[in-house]
Amino acid sequence: MTGFRIFRWSIFASALVPAAALVYWTFTGDLGANPIEFITHTTGTTALSLLVITLTITPLRRVTARNELIRLRRMLGLLAFFYACLHMLTWVVLDWFFDVASMTADVVKRPFITMGMMTFVLLVPLAATSTAGMIRRLGRRWQQLHRLIYVAAVTAVIHFWWVEKADFRQPRLWALALCVLFGFRVWWSLQTRAARTRDAFTFLKDGMLRRG
Amino acid sequence: MLIRRAPDIRYSEVTPKALYMRRREFMQAAAVAAAGAAAALSPAGSRHVHAQNGRTKLPNVRKSQFSTTEKLNSYEDITSYNNYYEFGTDKDDPERNAHRLVTRPWTIRVEGLVKTPATYDIDTLIKPYAFEERIYRLRCVEAWSMVIPWIGFPLADVIKRLEPLPSARFIQFTTLADAKQMLGIRVPVLDWPYVEGLRMDEAMHPLAILAVGLYGEVLPNQNGAPIRLVVPWKYGFKSIKSIVRIRFTDTMPRTSWPVANAREYGFYSNVNPTVDHPRWSQATERRLGEFFRRKTVMFNGYGDQVAHLYSGMDLRRYY
């Protein structure tokens, strides 16, 4: 168990490396010719990576049958949200310096910004209901609410896709990753449904046999 | 109370440039210097003078009345932040990869509606022209801008000597597309080779230049060596790099960005704050090195000189 704790902490620490690097490079002056663009890009891609990594936990847990992996899920999800917040703050403070009129116009007129904003808005309730107390209080509805992460992952990839001018290799890769992760879930739920039907059928058959 | 103030000098300006140069670039610079020295000793002579830092200085550069007096961007900014997709799509890819480009010998094919189609050696082609420093604003379609001290000569002077036929209405330029030297060519990001073009009256405008240097030195590969176009009133992608072909035509050239995405890019691509790119506003820009955005100016501030070229044209339609 302690081995797993060390594993968990090392994942936490490595997820903070991009943020730490940005701070470090700010002081050494190594953010390049366009620091604001670099910070925007770094926080954005890190947020997306962590969001997708969060979605790998459940499939990994099923494949490996290691249930303790579930304890990584909330941490990774919150780290993704942390980077989404940094990404958003970069846009508001560094890129536009609170120019509300221009930012509002962009959210309304620019589809890629609309998508980015939508992703952020979808992540807020998930982060807000991530505490143990909220999980208990919401019960079944917690699970339904947290399915929003699938929508957020899709809007995040669309956001990335629409930012690009010509080179779509990276967004394509993320879209593929989502397809694989969603495909696994669809396949899994079809399997369990088939198993349930089989069980029900067996149950009925048994009942009839008994009666007969 | 002691109030500490940050010195009014940037980090990039105090560190000696040589320290920035990575080993590979240093080796490359040394090779260039050696070649420069060899050329200087050759009987034919050379216009290139070997500079102290390993880069090659261009001598006898005249000042120009067309230069802006705005604060220049640093050499580091100009040479480390480039859109040159033949060397990769990240801004720092060209600086990393462009050392593979061999810029001598270099020939330029001149063809189409021209008196004598021919292939010119670059040194022969540029020999008649006196070098001028042109300090221009460069506004990228991605809403950032820089101020760059180019070294070059008017495109009009070259065109006059090449003698296009009266039927020539457009000039088309092509960039080298050699996958061996340009790693980015292997990725079909654009339909290679890169093609750009101008209407003849635009090309003949005194602001349009062919550049062979910047900051008083031979143009670095990532900035479009050995010879590139600079059209300061248009978005940066019109200023095509590493030219190997010039073609005079009577039809509008099919240039790379409109071919890739006709809805987002037009042939003219004049800097215009009132016509937005469909995915982002062109009303403002970030001058690299500044925190606050600036308002983008029509024709990138060159309206007094170039607006007449477009009189009567609906620039919303011909973007």
Side-chain angles (χ1 to χ4, degrees):
Chain A
M1 211 17 75
T2 46
F4 186 77
R5 274 188 68 167
I6 294 167
F7 177 60
R8 193 159 166 247
W9 274 103
S10 54
I11 286 186
F12 180 72
S14 34
L16 289 178
V17 167
L22 286 178
V23 172
Y24 178 73
W25 287 330
T26 303
F27 286 105
T28 59
D30 285 327
L31 290 173
N34 194 347
I36 298 174
E37 182 196 65
F38 185 75
I39 295 170
T40 306
H41 198 82
T42 308
T43 51
T45 45
T46 310
L48 177 59
S49 314
L50 285 165
L51 196 62
V52 172
I53 291 172
T54 308
L55 287 174
T56 63
I57 295 300
T58 299
L60 266 183
R61 185 174 145 222
R62 283 190 182 141
V63 171
T64 61
R66 292 185 73 111
N67 276 328
E68 68 266 36
L69 284 176
I70 196 70
R71 289 169 51 217
L72 296 174
R73 199 173 63 176
R74 172 168 60 188
M75 180 185 81
L76 286 165
L78 285 173
L79 281 163
F81 182 67
F82 168 68
Y83 278 98
C85 288
L86 290 182
H87 188 57
M88 184 79 176
L89 275 173
T90 310
W91 182 66
V92 173
V93 183
L94 300 183
D95 200 1
W96 284 106
F97 199 67
F98 308 104
D99 180 349
V100 178
S102 297
M103 287 189 294
T104 315
D106 263 5
V107 172
V108 177
K109 275 169 78 180
R110 320 282 164 212
F112 87 88
I113 294 182
T114 317
M115 279 296 148
M117 189 56 82
M118 215 162 114
T119 310
F120 184 74
V121 168
L122 286 167
L123 290 178
V124 170
L126 304 192
T129 57
S130 63
T131 58
M134 281 308 245
I135 297 172
R136 213 173 329 107
R137 232 167 298 159
L138 288 170
R140 262 179 71 87
R141 278 174 305 157
W142 187 88
Q143 211 144 37
Q144 285 166 351
L145 177 70
H146 278 250
R147 293 215 174 102
L148 281 180
I149 194 172
Y150 301 128
V151 185
V154 171
T155 53
V157 170
I158 296 175
H159 167 64
F160 191 15
W161 199 296
W162 285 351
V163 173
E164 292 293 338
K165 275 187 356 177
D167 187 357
F168 300 106
R169 281 174 296 167
Q170 279 199 50
R172 223 182 278 145
L173 218 59
W174 288 116
L176 186 71
L178 283 192
C179 286
V180 171
L181 290 171
F182 290 174
F184 178 87
R185 282 168 169 84
V186 170
W187 178 78
W188 185 266
S189 82
L190 287 178
Q191 291 290 101
T192 38
R193 194 172 304 168
R196 223 177 288 148
T197 318
R198 213 162 36 235
D199 288 351
F201 184 72
T202 321
F203 175 77
L204 279 176
K205 201 170 69 181
D206 285 357
M208 283 198 290
L209 282 176
R210 226 169 315 174
R211 234 180 294 147
Chain B
M1 193 174 88
L2 178 71
I3 297 171
R4 282 182 184 277
R5 268 172 173 273
D8 190 23
I9 188 165
R10 282 156 43 105
Y11 175 82
S12 59
E13 289 164 348
V14 284
T15 307
K17 279 176 183 171
L19 285 183
Y20 276 102
M21 301 180 106
R22 271 168 271 154
R23 187 171 169 273
R24 190 192 279 162
E25 287 161 329
F26 180 77
M27 299 295 282
Q28 184 208 1
V32 169
L41 292 171
S42 72
S46 169
R47 304 168 80 182
H48 299 164
V49 174
H50 165 213
Q52 205 93 102
N53 56 10
R55 301 194 300 245
T56 312
K57 264 214 146 50
L58 293 167
N60 306 324
V61 176
R62 296 190 308 204
K63 299 256 173 266
S64 165
Q65 49 161 349
F66 294 117
S67 288
T68 169
T69 53
E70 286 162 88
K71 186 177 180 292
L72 300 181
N73 278 91
S74 68
Y75 184 86
E76 281 70 27
D77 280 359
I78 297 168
T79 57
S80 67
Y81 190 81
N82 305 97
N83 277 329
Y84 196 165
Y85 285 4
E86 286 85 340
F87 293 110
T89 52
D90 284 342
K91 292 285 187 293
D92 54 353
D93 283 341
E95 186 194 25
R96 240 197 323 264
N97 299 327
H99 64 95
R100 292 167 189 270
L101 181 69
V102 179
T103 56
R104 287 294 189 284
W106 188 276
T107 57
I108 297 168
R109 174 85 195 146
V110 176
E111 59 188 20
L113 303 171
V114 64
K115 198 173 157 198
T116 24
T119 302
Y120 295 89
D121 175 72
I122 184 172
D123 292 311
T124 319
L125 188 80
I126 69 178
K127 204 177 181 97
Y129 310 109
F131 291 158
E132 284 177 46
E133 181 177 65
R134 296 279 183 107
I135 304 172
Y136 282 162
R137 294 176 288 275
L138 178 127
R139 167 61 156 81
C140 178
V141 75
E142 297 164 344
W144 54 265
S145 63
M146 293 198 204
V147 178
I148 304 175
W150 301 109
I151 310 288
F153 40 87
L155 172 61
D157 293 352
V158 181
I159 292 176
K160 275 179 224 151
R161 196 164 60 102
L162 295 176
E163 297 184 281
L165 303 179
S167 53
R169 291 182 53 229
F170 295 92
I171 180 168
Q172 175 186 314
F173 302 90
T174 308
T175 299
L176 178 73
D178 178 5
K180 283 202 288 294
Q181 302 178 63
M182 303 165 135
L183 299 174
I185 295 276
R186 292 168 199 181
V187 189
V189 177
L190 292 169
D191 189 9
W192 312 116
Y194 193 78
V195 171
E196 258 310 336
L198 296 171
R199 218 169 53 191
M200 279 304 277
D201 58 338
E202 297 178 317
M204 295 301 288
H205 193 280
L207 282 175
I209 59 164
L210 287 175
V212 293
L214 67 82
Y215 260 108
E217 298 170 354
V218 166
L219 201 59
N221 289 357
Q222 62 267 35
N223 293 87
I227 188 163
R228 66 169 292 166
L229 180 69
V230 179
V231 205
W233 70 93
K234 292 173 179 284
Y235 292 121
F237 66 84
K238 292 294 292 181
S239 295
I240 187 169
K241 303 182 178 86
S242 308
I243 298 165
V244 291
R245 190 180 290 256
I246 296 175
R247 185 180 183 83
F248 294 94
T249 69
D250 53 358
T251 51
M252 186 179 280
R254 285 171 46 77
T255 55
S256 289
W257 280 103
V259 164
N261 191 340
R263 204 176 66 85
E264 300 189 355
Y265 307 96
F267 174 80
Y268 289 96
S269 293
N270 293 314
V271 174
N272 188 342
T274 65
V275 175
D276 285 345
H277 184 280
R279 288 184 283 143
W280 56 83
S281 164
Q282 294 292 26
T284 62
E285 68 199 50
R286 175 162 287 110
R287 175 72 49 86
L288 295 193
E290 293 180 355
F291 178 71
F292 292 104
R293 287 173 184 249
R294 310 171 156 238
K295 282 205 161 23
T296 290
V297 185
M298 189 68 201
F299 296 118
N300 202 20
Y302 297 98
D304 287 349
Q305 291 111 301
V306 302
H308 70 273
L309 295 173
Y310 310 99
S311 60
M313 271 176 74
D314 179 3
L315 294 179
R316 301 198 138 271
R317 196 168 153 222
Y318 299 101
Y319 53 84

